[in-house]
Amino acid sequence: MHGFSRSLNASGPNAVNRQAGAGERVSHLQGCHGGSMGFLTTTGRAFLVFLEATGRLMLFTSLAISHCFRPPFYFRLITRQMIDIGYYSLPVVGLTALFTGMVLALQSYTGFARFQAEGAVATVVVLSITRELGPVLAGLMVAGRIGASMAAEIGTMRVTEQVDALSTLATNPFKYLVAPRLIAGLTMLPFLVLVADIIGVFGGFLIGVYRLDFNPAAYIGRTWEYLEPMDVISGLVKAGVFGFVIALMGCYHGYQSRGGAQGVGAATTNAVVSSSILILVFNYLITGLFFSR
Amino acid sequence: MSAMNYFADGTPVGTPPGTFVETPKLRLTNLHKAFGSKVVLNGLDLEVGRAESLVVIGGSGTGKSVMLKCALGLLRADSGSIQIDGEETTRLGTRDRERVMRKFGMLFQGAALFDSLPVWENVAFGLIQGQKMRRDQAKEVAVEKLAAVGLAKEVAELFPSELSGGMQKRVALARAIATQPEIIFFDEPTTGLDPIMADVINDLIIKCVKDLGATALSITHDMASARKIADRIAMIYKGKIIWHGPVSEIDNSGNPYVDQFIHGRADGPIQMEVMHP
């Protein structure tokens, strides 16, 4: 495991070194074969950079995960992160879920009314929210709120040498900064999504009953009728993965940031963009996994 | 690794400060470090004796900071050896690295205080996290250390952003000495301070290092500071130590590079990379 640590410590400067080396080799090739190799050069260089970034992320991830399971554990920090992610994200996630549930009820009613299937509104709302929209929308909102703040905080600590200061005080930055955030992300997102599921379904209920004149008892009955435990569970599994991805991207990009305010700004952008994309990718993969039959 | 007849810190009893016994406190041998094609350390050798204060002087970009970070283990040297109390530290595992880190204290150039924690928790950080001291007990020690650097008890509750630059430096010094380290590293301790505050910091450094009986390795380009806090001065140029000797000999070094540097002359063997129109 120490091998990871060492290569990570040296990753910044060495990375530049290796990239430069790759570039030189490729431009040498170009010199030999003339301009026709231009396309291959560009593709090859981009591919090498991609492989290197992937490798660095994998090392970071494995190191971070290993530190989640090794003492000392900073319970105070884990609790603080859990409150920050779980409690303070409730308003934004709750509002997102509420309006999504309401819109979903209205839109599906419009659609289903065209072939006299209005009765399916409640079912469509609950399945869409628990299986897809709850986890994905909560994930994206938290990526914007938490991923950005993690990247900015760790990035600023990085460029002001606070991360180095941690090391000199015999405290492992991975254990102190990264592990608590990963644990909090992994555990709090499912909780947030569970709340989002309930609020989203409630939003659909409000529209169904007060705008579309459904019978309240019938609406609730239809909500439960076709809902299976796996619908909710798959959403919560997604949420756990999304929470981990958000915290990982925030920490990774913050940890890699260099060069002052601009570097921290770039880290924040990269954290939000990469975690949003990864959320959408993993959403598809996990959906495929759960519904492969 | 430590030799026989030595105490845990590798020192025999009654050794006068600064004398080289068999094992220096810190020994850097043939250290190399490059970033891409830019060679920063090019076969650097340096030894710091027990309870000695060594100041490394040198211009910007000569490799001072990189040397310090390699010695601390924050950067990994490409090749060469770094020995603390005779123990090779370049290939240590995580656990051993943390053990060696407990011997260190570091004063960062920009103070590097944790801005999310109040001043006292900054000072007590190494005690609470590293030595598992109880928080209330650690707070008492922190207030004591703050007093040692001339800061009142009220400062303990403030946050780093509420302090002036000089106060931040003093808090950082208190944090560096709180765990009673055996080796303290000072990165440009007086840079960015007014001359009077710089002198206050110099005095505090001398006092703290003497009180602890610690070994000090400082890097600076402030000659007033170097003359004041050093037992011995070494000059780094292009990634190598080109001269070292007692502070009393700095004016008669016979080395044109040292002469140019300590007198701050633009003309001489050291040519700055400045484009002239």
Side-chain angles (χ1 to χ4, degrees), chain B residues 208-274:
Chain B
C208 294
V209 172
K210 287 264 148 53
D211 286 353
L212 283 175
T215 302
L217 175 61
S218 320
I219 57 175
T220 187
H221 48 235
D222 173 2
M223 278 315 297
S225 171
R227 285 173 195 277
K228 190 152 186 179
I229 62 180
D231 295 327
R232 210 155 57 86
I233 292 184
M235 169 132 177
I236 187 171
Y237 181 63
K238 290 196 172 170
K240 275 184 176 163
I241 299 294
I242 55 164
W243 181 87
H244 66 93
V247 66
S248 54
E249 287 176 18
I250 186 84
D251 291 310
N252 310 304
S253 63
N255 185 313
Y257 292 87
V258 176
D259 281 342
Q260 186 194 351
F261 187 84
I262 63 174
H263 295 112
R265 287 192 293 256
D267 296 324
I270 305 172
Q271 290 300 315
M272 288 288 164
E273 287 167 5
V274 181

Side-chain angles (χ1 to χ4, degrees), chain A residues 204-217 219:
Chain A
F205 172 82
L206 284 182
I207 292 298
V209 171
Y210 293 103
R211 183 85 192 271
L212 307 173
D213 297 327
F214 279 95
N215 176 300
Y219 188 96

Side-chain angles (χ1 to χ4, degrees), chain B residues 11-270:
Chain B
T11 327
V13 192
T15 315
T19 48
F20 284 124
V21 287
E22 277 176 43
T23 335
K25 195 76 189 165
L26 170 68
R27 175 188 276 159
L28 311 177
T29 317
N30 199 21
L31 217 54
H32 285 84
K33 178 74 188 172
F35 296 110
S37 56
K38 183 165 172 48
V39 177
V40 181
L41 298 183
N42 188 17
L44 182 136
D45 296 298
L46 191 68
E47 289 186 351
V48 193
R50 185 191 66 88
E52 181 188 34
S53 173
L54 176 76
V55 173
V56 177
I57 57 171
S60 309
T62 48
K64 297 192 303 284
S65 292
V66 173
M67 176 198 73
L68 203 65
K69 289 192 170 165
C70 285
L72 266 166
L74 297 176
L75 277 178
R76 194 182 161 207
D78 296 337
S79 67
S81 141
I82 299 164
Q83 293 182 351
I84 312 287
D85 290 326
E87 181 187 6
E88 181 61 48
T89 63
T90 43
R91 298 279 179 272
L92 286 182
T94 315
R95 216 166 279 269
D96 286 325
R97 164 61 57 194
E98 279 175 23
R99 172 176 58 75
V100 170
M101 279 292 192
R102 284 179 214 283
K103 295 183 180 184
F104 296 158
M106 166 83 181
L107 178 63
F108 285 88
Q109 186 178 350
L113 297 174
F114 305 124
D115 39 30
S116 58
L117 301 176
V119 164
W120 78 263
E121 234 175 298
N122 265 283
V123 177
F125 194 91
L127 300 170
I128 296 173
Q129 308 297 353
Q131 301 181 5
K132 305 288 166 219
M133 193 184 273
R134 284 202 349 256
R135 289 175 69 83
D136 51 343
Q137 203 181 343
K139 187 170 182 176
E140 279 173 31
V141 178
V143 171
E144 214 172 275
K145 296 292 173 190
L146 285 170
V149 296
L151 290 173
K153 208 163 67 177
E154 294 72 42
V155 177
E157 302 297 338
L158 298 176
F159 279 85
S161 57
E162 298 173 274
L163 306 179
S164 70
M167 286 165 95
Q168 288 187 2
K169 266 272 159 70
R170 282 190 276 170
V171 173
L173 180 60
R175 182 175 71 178
I177 61 170
T179 52
Q180 306 202 303
E182 295 168 26
I183 308 177
I184 314 181
F185 297 88
F186 297 98
D187 184 359
E188 311 263 6
T190 55
T191 300
L193 300 177
D194 69 76
I196 300 171
M197 183 52 76
D199 202 49
V200 170
I201 296 286
N202 286 335
D203 285 336
L204 285 171
I205 289 175
I206 296 167
K207 177 173 161 283
C208 294
V209 172
K210 287 264 148 53
D211 286 353
L212 283 175
T215 302
L217 175 61
S218 320
I219 57 175
T220 187
H221 48 235
D222 173 2
M223 278 315 297
S225 171
R227 285 173 195 277
K228 190 152 186 179
I229 62 180
D231 295 327
R232 210 155 57 86
I233 292 184
M235 169 132 177
I236 187 171
Y237 181 63
K238 290 196 172 170
K240 275 184 176 163
I241 299 294
I242 55 164
W243 181 87
H244 66 93
V247 66
S248 54
E249 287 176 18
I250 186 84
D251 291 310
N252 310 304
S253 63
N255 185 313
Y257 292 87
V258 176
D259 281 342
Q260 186 194 351
F261 187 84
I262 63 174
H263 295 112
R265 287 192 293 256
D267 296 324
I270 305 172

